[in-house]
Amino acid sequence: MLRSEFHLKFGSDNPIVLPVIHVLDHDQAYRNIVIAKLGGCPGVFLINHDFEKEKLLPIIKSIRAEFPDYWIGINFLAVTGEFAFPILGALQTEGIRVDGYWADDACIDERRPVHEQIDAARINDVRQNSGWKGLYIGGTAFKKQREVSPSDYAYSAQLAAQHMDIVVTSGVATGQAADVEKIKTFRENCGHTSLAIASGITPENAAEYKNNVDLFMVATGINIEGDFYNIDANKLKKLMFAIKH
């Protein structure tokens, strides 16, 4: 997706903040979505960090019923688009809209030439065949995946931009800020494709990234101290201020 299209879709030229909610149950997800909405976030991601993806499905359905018009993305932990897209397509046929899918691993292989991105191409085929209409956010040089040398970041970004709507990268671990030079390299090599960060963004460091990034996917940086599951409304307010000023 072109950066211009992305920002038009979400109605802001600033980086968009989509909090990542580590789901426990319906009520906890609901409470955090309310905080995100009141804090000015146009959407959220729901992730099944503590249980298998099948247990997330009824929560997706019940949350969509509560928030029929809100932007809701999903991450099935450690599940590539190859296996996620058919599930999302089936939900769509039931009338359950999922607006985005974030995969930790988009299966980009910087060790191979452009025409040999076999896994990434297969994922695209599965997506097309699934009929699912949402945005695909694909992890590239991403935490907890195969390590990518910094010398390959540029090529990784170039490849990724051809296989997904939004390229997302990260720091080395959950809660760890991405190297600023890594983000600059990705920005330069993603062309006009939207770029996201999914780790380590805080109210204190957001300004370092905001000129190069279109989307902040944030959890620990805005969560209650020592709490993996719940948003701190004050931290979110500070992040939103930092992005706008």
Side-chain angles (χ1 to χ4, degrees):
M1 172 176 268
L2 296 177
R3 301 183 75 189
S4 57
E5 292 179 52
F6 176 80
H7 288 280
L8 183 63
K9 179 179 181 66
F10 285 99
S12 174
D13 292 331
N14 296 313
I16 305 305
V17 176
L18 299 179
V20 177
I21 299 170
H22 299 99
V23 175
L24 293 174
D25 53 38
H26 171 93
D27 291 345
Q28 173 260 352
Y30 179 93
R31 289 193 305 270
N32 281 275
I33 292 174
V34 169
I35 293 170
K37 287 190 69 177
L38 292 174
C41 300
V44 297
F45 283 93
L46 306 179
I47 180 172
N48 59 310
H49 199 275
D50 292 342
F51 48 81
E52 61 272 21
K53 65 183 184 300
E54 287 75 16
K55 288 188 177 180
L56 187 60
L57 296 178
I59 299 174
I60 293 170
K61 295 177 181 180
S62 63
I63 286 295
R64 176 51 79 199
E66 297 274 11
F67 301 95
D69 301 317
Y70 199 52
W71 197 97
I72 297 174
I74 301 299
N75 177 310
F76 295 135
L77 187 67
V79 175
T80 68
E82 181 177 1
F83 301 99
F85 293 143
I87 297 172
L88 302 179
L91 287 172
Q92 184 174 277
T93 62
E94 295 177 38
I96 309 299
R97 192 182 80 251
V98 172
D99 297 296
Y101 186 70
W102 156 35
D104 297 329
D105 186 1
C107 299
I108 297 300
D109 192 345
E110 76 290 340
R111 300 166 299 183
R112 295 179 177 275
V114 174
H115 63 280
E116 291 185 10
Q117 298 301 308
I118 298 169
D119 293 336
R122 184 174 65 252
I123 289 170
N124 284 336
D125 288 342
V126 171
R127 179 188 181 188
Q128 184 70 30
N129 292 332
S130 75
W132 177 67
K133 303 300 184 184
L135 296 180
Y136 175 29
I137 303 96
T140 306
F142 203 78
K143 60 187 178 181
K144 299 181 181 178
Q145 309 305 315
R146 176 176 51 77
E147 187 173 349
V148 176
S149 168
S151 64
D152 289 324
Y153 287 160
Y155 183 47
S156 293
Q158 292 166 15
L159 290 171
Q162 301 176 46
H163 290 279
M164 60 203 72
D165 297 307
I166 301 168
V167 178
V168 59
T169 193
S170 72
V172 296
T174 299
Q176 296 295 308
D179 180 75
V180 173
E181 292 304 314
K182 176 184 183 182
I183 300 306
K184 288 180 179 178
T185 298
F186 263 73
R187 175 70 280 148
E188 291 167 1
N189 288 276
C190 280
H192 295 293
T193 300
S194 300
L195 176 64
I197 299 180
S199 76
I201 294 297
T202 68
E204 292 73 30
N205 69 15
E208 299 179 54
Y209 302 100
K210 70 178 185 178
N211 291 331
N212 291 308
V213 173
D214 303 292
L215 169 61
F216 290 150
M217 300 157 62
V218 56
T220 55
I222 57 169
N223 280 358
I224 295 168
E225 191 69 30
D227 186 337
F228 194 59
Y229 303 99
N230 294 293
I231 297 170
D232 182 324
N234 191 48
K235 286 185 180 180
L236 176 57
K237 182 179 179 179
K238 289 179 178 178
L239 176 59
M240 300 301 280
F241 181 86
I243 288 169
K244 295 176 181 177
H245 298 86

